Amino acid sequence: TANQVFGRMSKSILPYMMAIHIGDRSIYLLALPVDTGELHYGFKKEETPSAITSTQSGSSPGSSPRNSRGSQEYTERIVQWGLKTVAVKGRLRVLSSTRLLAIEAASALAEAGPRVKMTHESALNPLDRGTKLGYLDDDDHEMEFDQRFEGGGESYADLVRRLEPCLLDIEGSVDPVLVISHVGPCRALRAYFLGYDVAKTML
């Protein structure tokens, strides 16, 4: 029980302490490819360069979807991997961002597997770069950890802070967890679980 707990203790630390447990479960981080067919900060789909580099975390499947067919194939590979995981582990918890490809992949997996529990979290969306032109997951090594992008954008510190509720969900889960997100959020979560300095990892 907790008594006379106030401020940050009641908002962050106490929920974290209540979420952690000693049970073992696998945590998979899937960073979606950059090119998902959506608008990318001023670049339309037809203006997208042909060479896009994507970052994948964990042992989840990955290929860069260039069109609707590629997106469907990508989703099918995630579903196949998820069903194999459910067959071995018994159940699977899926947390996804609210981007189109993430929703499609998570929804398809939940429909295919009756033991898959799905949740969409806007906190798992890419870093908001404000008015800066570029791609959703581009790295910007000139930015400071607490420096916000112009035009109402976020800083890397803002990204880390909004991931706290998702982290509590992951810590509190007793089932294997698949996070379908993007490079920035996956990098921050990976640093946390490996015990790395998150600020240094993001820059």
Side-chain angles (χ1 to χ4, degrees):
T1 59
N3 185 32
Q4 296 185 356
V5 179
F6 307 100
R8 177 174 170 78
M9 287 288 294
S10 62
K11 182 180 179 181
S12 300
I13 299 179
L14 183 59
Y16 173 77
M17 295 179 65
M18 295 177 65
I20 57 177
H21 56 82
I22 61 174
D24 290 333
R25 78 283 191 204
S26 300
I27 299 173
Y28 307 95
L29 303 178
L30 172 59
L32 294 173
V34 176
D35 183 9
T36 61
E38 300 177 355
L39 295 179
H40 297 293
Y41 299 92
F43 291 100
K44 296 182 180 179
K45 182 178 180 181
E46 57 267 24
E47 297 172 343
T48 303
S50 58
I52 301 293
T53 301
S54 62
T55 301
Q56 301 293 336
S57 299
S59 59
S60 307
S63 65
S64 181
R66 302 293 179 181
N67 47 48
S68 58
R69 180 180 177 183
S71 178
Q72 182 178 0
E73 293 176 353
Y74 188 86
T75 299
E76 290 175 354
R77 293 182 64 182
I78 295 177
V79 171
Q80 292 173 5
W81 175 89
L83 293 179
K84 290 180 181 179
T85 302
V86 172
V88 175
K89 305 290 185 179
R91 291 174 294 185
L92 181 65
R93 175 77 186 279
V94 179
L95 300 177
S96 81
S97 76
T98 57
R99 296 292 181 178
L100 179 60
L101 182 56
I103 291 177
E104 289 178 349
S107 299
L109 183 54
E111 292 174 1
R115 295 185 178 180
V116 177
K117 182 180 180 181
M118 173 188 62
T119 305
H120 301 304
E121 300 283 354
S122 60
L124 290 170
N125 287 347
L127 181 71
D128 184 351
R129 297 175 181 275
T131 57
K132 179 179 174 62
L133 295 178
Y135 294 100
L136 295 176
D137 292 320
D138 278 351
D139 290 327
D140 195 327
H141 298 290
E142 297 179 357
M143 299 291 294
E144 298 292 337
F145 185 68
D146 293 307
Q147 181 181 355
R148 288 191 171 98
F149 286 89
E150 295 181 0
E154 294 178 299
S155 67
Y156 290 108
D158 293 328
L159 171 63
V160 171
R161 277 191 289 268
R162 69 171 157 91
L163 284 173
E164 286 186 4
C166 295
L167 179 60
L168 292 179
D169 274 351
I170 296 173
E171 287 284 15
S173 177
V174 295
D175 299 325
V177 179
L178 169 63
V179 178
I180 304 177
S181 185
H182 309 269
V183 173
C186 284
R187 183 182 296 173
L189 291 173
R190 182 176 183 272
Y192 165 79
F193 287 115
L194 294 180
Y196 295 158
D197 188 321
V198 178
K200 292 181 179 179
T201 302
M202 299 303 292
L203 299 177

